């Protein structure tokens, strides 16, 4: 069991925080934003019930974002909240056959941007976890966010390949990252 606690002084300022994602580098911004807003509300109200109600408002807001599949977010806001950022400490080839979201992202970046992109250590892997292909491990469902900056034919080719969906179509919104994201995975991460 991990220690988790927040300490507030008599002026209502948080003086210590232990064990929460808010402090971790590379953690999802969605989780950091949620926790930050929850902690701001811990001292709201004059009773425990009022405090709980205030914290519940924050939780409901973030559950609404997830339940509506980010429909109120711009694409930039979407990626800011849901993209994971990891730096690879070694060159991709040093990982061998090791599986991980960073390795999958790096291999996919090299597929469409060229092998030179992964030749040095310290590669920043920014990705989302897709719902497809169904039944695949999370490590196999990491999609580099850079693919959405590629030209449409390139994006279509690689998303179809990685998602194993040959009929994926840009015109009907199939390639919108909100329609690709594994929303249940992110609900579990927030929970």
């Amino acid at each position: 069991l991990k220690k988790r606690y927040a300490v507030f002084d008599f002026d209502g300022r948080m003086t210590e925080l232990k064990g929460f994602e808010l402090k971790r580098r590379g953690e999802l911004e969605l989780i950091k934003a949620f926790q930050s807003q929850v902690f701001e509300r811990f001292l709201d109200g004059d009773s425990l019930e009022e405090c709980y109600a205030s914290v519940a408002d924050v939780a409901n807001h973030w559950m609404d974002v997830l339940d509506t599949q980010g429909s109120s977010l711009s694409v930039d806001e979407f990626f800011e909240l849901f993209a994971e950022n990891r730096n690879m400490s070694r060159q991709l080839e040093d990982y061998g056959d090791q599986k991980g979201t960073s390795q999958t992202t790096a291999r996919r970046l090299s597929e469409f941007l060229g092998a030179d992109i992964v030749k040095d250590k310290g590669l920043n892997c920014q990705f989302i976890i897709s719902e497809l292909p169904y039944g695949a491990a999370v490590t196999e469902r990491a999609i580099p966010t850079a693919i959405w900056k590629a030209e449409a034919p390139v994006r279509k080719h690689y998303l179809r390949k990685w998602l194993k969906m040959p009929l994926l179509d840009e015109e009907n919104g199939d390639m919108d990252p909100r329609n690709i994201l594994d929303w249940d995975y992110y609900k579990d991460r927030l929970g």
Side-chain angles (χ1 to χ4, degrees):
L1 214 53
K2 288 192 329 187
K3 286 185 189 177
R4 288 181 174 230
Y5 60 86
V7 177
F8 295 87
D9 66 16
F10 291 106
D11 295 327
R13 289 186 312 239
M14 189 182 320
T15 59
E16 190 175 351
L17 184 66
K18 174 90 173 155
F20 288 94
E21 290 81 354
L22 182 61
K23 293 178 70 173
R24 295 188 194 133
R25 283 180 300 150
E27 189 57 64
L28 275 175
E29 192 59 36
L30 170 74
I31 294 170
K32 288 181 174 184
F34 169 73
Q35 287 182 355
S36 174
Q37 290 176 15
V38 163
F39 292 138
E40 289 172 7
R41 301 285 188 95
F42 270 1
L43 300 178
D44 283 1
D46 293 325
S47 68
L48 194 55
E49 259 183 20
E50 290 176 3
C51 173
Y52 285 169
S54 184
V55 169
D57 286 342
V58 171
N60 288 337
H61 164 75
W62 288 106
M63 286 308 296
D64 287 346
V65 168
L66 292 167
D67 289 341
T68 62
Q69 298 187 342
S71 62
S72 64
L73 303 173
S74 71
V75 172
D76 289 340
E77 290 169 322
F78 169 84
F79 282 127
E80 185 178 319
L81 289 171
F82 293 99
E84 300 191 45
N85 286 295
R86 305 261 170 79
N87 285 323
M88 295 182 64
S89 58
R90 301 177 280 172
Q91 293 178 356
L92 178 60
E93 65 185 28
D94 294 341
Y95 290 94
D97 291 335
Q98 184 177 341
K99 294 184 185 216
T101 51
S102 297
Q103 290 82 4
T104 299
T105 302
R107 286 184 190 100
R108 289 176 172 176
L109 285 169
S110 73
E111 277 185 65
F112 81 95
L113 294 176
D116 286 348
I117 195 85
V118 295
K119 68 179 179 175
D120 296 325
K121 63 182 182 179
L123 177 67
N124 180 17
C125 296
Q126 187 177 39
F127 59 91
I128 61 170
I129 302 300
S130 69
E131 185 177 19
L132 299 172
Y134 295 119
V138 170
T139 58
E140 297 170 32
R141 294 184 287 128
I143 306 294
T145 60
I147 195 64
W148 279 277
K149 293 180 179 152
E151 293 182 16
V154 172
R155 180 174 48 250
K156 182 189 279 189
H157 170 77
Y158 285 105
L159 285 176
R160 284 177 169 178
K161 177 181 178 183
W162 298 334
L163 301 174
K164 298 187 182 348
M165 289 290 293
L167 301 178
L168 213 60
D169 189 19
E170 188 124 29
E171 283 73 38
N172 64 12
D174 288 349
M175 295 190 196
D176 184 319
R178 287 171 277 243
N179 295 332
I180 290 172
L181 193 81
D182 184 346
W183 290 98
D184 289 335
Y185 168 83
Y186 288 91
K187 284 179 185 177
D188 288 345
R189 291 282 307 271
L190 186 63

